[in-house]
Amino acid sequence: EVQLVESGGGSVQAGGSLRLSCQASGYPYRDFCAGWFRQLPGKEREGVASIGLHGSSTYAASVKGRFTISKVDAASTLYLQMDSLKPEDTGMYYCAIDSYCPQGFEDEPFTWGYPYWGQGTQVTVSS
């Protein structure tokens, strides 16, 4: 059974940084494509960043230039470096991965049907 565990969330002041990690256990494949999502208070879950099989990345407009997604396939680990954090970044952050990553993934990474999801890690940014 594949399990994803996020870590690295916490409380930080505006302008600060956090680095989220997502560790997959029981993942039987060599590499993966992935996404980070978040659910802000009172809002639906939204895509934040995605990374393709070969490392191409996509970002939501609200985080572009401030967040960086990366992965280490050999360690089945996904990261999200978050800099210049704003109070409006406050929410629950989730990771998701897939081993099936055709060209279509990079066209719609935030609506992709990821089979594996983490439980989330809370990020709170105070002003």
Side-chain angles (χ1 to χ4, degrees), residues 7-119:
S7 62
S11 296
V12 65
Q13 289 192 329
S17 298
L18 287 172
R19 189 190 194 206
L20 305 185
S21 298
C22 171
Q23 177 69 58
S25 61
Y27 184 72
Y29 305 104
R30 183 183 63 185
D31 46 23
F32 59 93
C33 52
W36 282 99
F37 294 79
R38 67 186 182 185
Q39 188 159 17
L40 308 183
K43 296 188 177 182
E44 293 188 354
R45 189 175 63 192
E46 63 180 11
V48 173
S50 71
I51 188 164
L53 201 61
H54 303 295
S56 59
S57 57
T58 302
Y59 296 92
S62 59
V63 306
K64 199 167 187 178
R66 299 188 298 123
F67 291 10
T68 304
I69 189 171
S70 61
K71 63 179 178 133
V72 178
D73 288 321
S76 299
T77 304
L78 177 71
Y79 300 98
L80 184 68
Q81 177 67 40
M82 305 187 296
D83 299 318
S84 302
L85 282 162
K86 304 175 180 180
E88 51 263 42
D89 294 318
T90 294
M92 187 69 77
Y93 284 69
Y94 302 88
C95 62
I97 70 171
D98 198 351
S99 61
Y100 177 64
C101 311
Q103 177 59 41
F105 168 82
E106 298 192 10
D107 295 333
E108 297 181 288
F110 297 150
T111 57
W112 191 252
Y114 296 92
Y116 309 116
W117 288 83
Q119 294 299 308

